[in-house]
Amino acid sequence: MNLTRTRLLNHRTARPIELTQLGFGSAPLGNLYHRVEEEDAQATLQAAWDAGLRYFDTAPQYGLGLAEQRVGRAIARFGTTLTLSTKVGRLLKDCAPEDVTPEAFVDVPQKRIVFDYTYDGIMRSYDDSIARLGSDRIDILLLHDIDAGTHGQEGEDRNLRELFSGGGYLALNELREAGRIAAIGAGVNTWQICEKLLGEGAFDCFLLAGRYTLLEQDPLETFLPLCTKRDVGIILGGPYNSGILATGPIEGARYNYAPAPPAILDRVAKIAAICADHATPMIAAALQFPLAHPAVKTVIPGAANPRELRQNIAIFETDIPDALWSDLRSAGLIRADAPLPKEPQDAA
């Protein structure tokens, strides 16, 4: 696959938003699980740029602002020919050391997270991101983790009230209409919330993590057809379902950030066996599969260093025989209605 080939996010935005098929997710550069030195972070971003990647995603959550700062320093070198997304909904507040919200990030700034999807919260989050990035060139602004996967169902309902009754959506729309951003969407872990959002507002895209993968394709029921019908672009995060499609069904393999249950281990073992029959790394099939769907415009695995970035590129460019896909489908491991790589696609 050609990682530098671009696809339009959709055909409706006021200015065209082009995404390279392989993008860069910056969560690891926020010191996810372990410290990343500034020199290594910049070398990784530079390696992505030099390889031809032109879509970069970040968020205030990643290292409590650290990833945004690092991405900002990099894009100041890169120039204007790139697409940048960040997220809103988490405000970073100064706090005492014992109140820091590190989540899975280490050695982070002394901040705590406050969720806020109101008008003032969205505007404050946007302004804070501009300050950390050192740039106002944000193309895509995504509501971050507004869904039940992070907050529970009661929390999701509260967040939606803040968004639509508390003015959060109005803030997003004002920023878009003023040309300060080009597109709005959400970065979430469940596809159901995306359908709810599409029922209430004019969203351009969604960053969907882990829900349309080689392992699970439930969004084909209603959500992805709706995206195709409405010309809504999907940015696909979490292509390995938080690890298991990269590691295989080994002891301690993780699915959705937790130890994989037996049913998932068994299904992945069957997928891995067919990949092995075709001398193809399962991780390569996992990275390439989602892009076959016309609504999916880019896939964004993360990288913490140049070596991991080069590995992502090699995986993305791995030639996969057509027979592998047909065998997975015949075994019932890929849905019959899932588009397959190398099948004829509608123009993207």
Side-chain angles (χ1 to χ4, degrees):
M1 300 186 78
N2 182 357
L3 65 91
T4 62
R5 180 187 174 194
T6 61
R7 294 178 173 179
L8 284 176
L9 180 71
N10 61 44
H11 297 82
R12 298 179 289 101
T13 52
R15 64 175 185 264
I17 299 178
E18 293 188 342
L19 305 173
T20 46
Q21 290 188 86
L22 186 66
F24 185 88
S26 68
L29 303 189
N31 291 351
L32 181 62
Y33 304 128
H34 60 84
R35 178 182 175 85
V36 176
E37 298 296 336
E38 178 67 20
E39 181 180 358
D40 292 332
Q42 293 304 321
T44 305
L45 288 159
Q46 189 66 50
W49 178 262
D50 292 344
L53 276 64
R54 294 295 182 267
Y55 170 51
F56 294 80
D57 174 70
T58 189
Q61 179 197 16
Y62 304 158
L64 301 186
L66 183 61
E68 280 189 321
Q69 292 170 341
R70 287 173 162 173
V71 169
R73 286 189 280 272
I75 64 175
R77 300 192 306 270
F78 296 161
T80 59
T81 55
L82 60 82
T83 298
L84 176 67
S85 61
T86 193
K87 305 180 183 73
V88 290
R90 280 182 172 89
L91 296 175
L92 306 181
K93 304 283 190 178
D94 293 331
C95 65
E98 61 271 19
D99 294 327
V100 169
T101 312
E103 297 182 309
F105 300 91
V106 303
D107 196 13
V108 295
Q110 196 169 303
K111 304 283 185 180
R112 66 183 177 91
I113 288 172
V114 176
F115 287 96
D116 192 335
Y117 300 97
T118 65
Y119 181 94
D120 290 342
I122 297 300
M123 288 300 195
R124 173 64 185 275
S125 185
Y126 170 77
D127 290 339
D128 288 350
S129 286
I130 284 178
R132 285 187 292 267
L133 289 162
S135 171
D136 63 355
R137 50 190 291 188
I138 298 168
D139 297 290
I140 305 169
L141 202 58
L142 302 165
L143 295 160
H144 203 186
D145 290 337
I146 197 171
D147 57 309
T150 298
H151 301 275
Q153 191 56 56
E154 288 187 7
E156 178 183 298
D157 294 342
R158 180 184 63 251
N159 294 339
L160 290 174
R161 287 193 298 272
E162 285 190 358
L163 182 66
F164 292 110
S165 299
Y169 177 74
L170 177 62
L172 290 173
N173 209 38
E174 284 184 5
L175 290 168
R176 180 173 57 182
E177 289 184 350
R180 299 173 71 185
I181 57 176
I184 64 172
V188 292
N189 295 291
T190 63
W191 58 268
Q192 292 86 348
I193 185 65
C194 301
E195 282 196 350
K196 289 182 181 180
L197 291 170
L198 283 175
E200 298 289 340
F203 290 89
D204 300 296
C205 61
F206 296 102
L207 196 170
L208 186 63
R211 297 284 74 81
Y212 184 66
T213 68
L214 193 61
L215 182 56
E216 53 182 279
Q217 297 112 43
D218 287 349
L220 287 168
E221 295 285 348
T222 56
F223 175 57
L224 287 176
L226 181 61
C227 289
T228 301
K229 179 180 179 180
R230 295 197 183 179
D231 193 18
V232 172
I234 297 298
I235 300 160
L236 202 290
Y240 309 136
N241 282 113
S242 81
I244 193 167
L245 288 176
T247 65
I250 62 173
E251 183 177 354
R254 300 186 73 80
Y255 168 73
N256 286 352
Y257 309 102
I264 294 296
L265 290 168
D266 180 65
R267 188 174 181 86
V268 172
K270 293 175 181 176
I271 295 171
I274 290 177
C275 290
D277 287 343
H278 293 278
T280 299
M282 182 173 62
I283 191 174
L287 189 57
Q288 295 185 29
F289 168 75
L291 279 166
H293 196 286
V296 178
K297 307 304 181 182
T298 182
V299 61
I300 52 168
N305 55 59
R307 177 183 56 81
E308 291 182 3
L309 189 280
R310 289 191 292 270
Q311 288 175 340
N312 286 340
I313 292 171
I315 291 165
F316 189 81
E317 293 180 337
T318 298
D319 188 38
I320 297 178
D322 294 349
L324 181 148
W325 305 116
S326 58
D327 285 356
L328 287 171
R329 177 175 279 173
S330 297
L333 296 169
I334 291 179
R335 286 176 51 132
D337 55 345
L340 301 179
K342 299 186 180 179
E343 284 186 340
Q345 298 293 314
D346 293 335

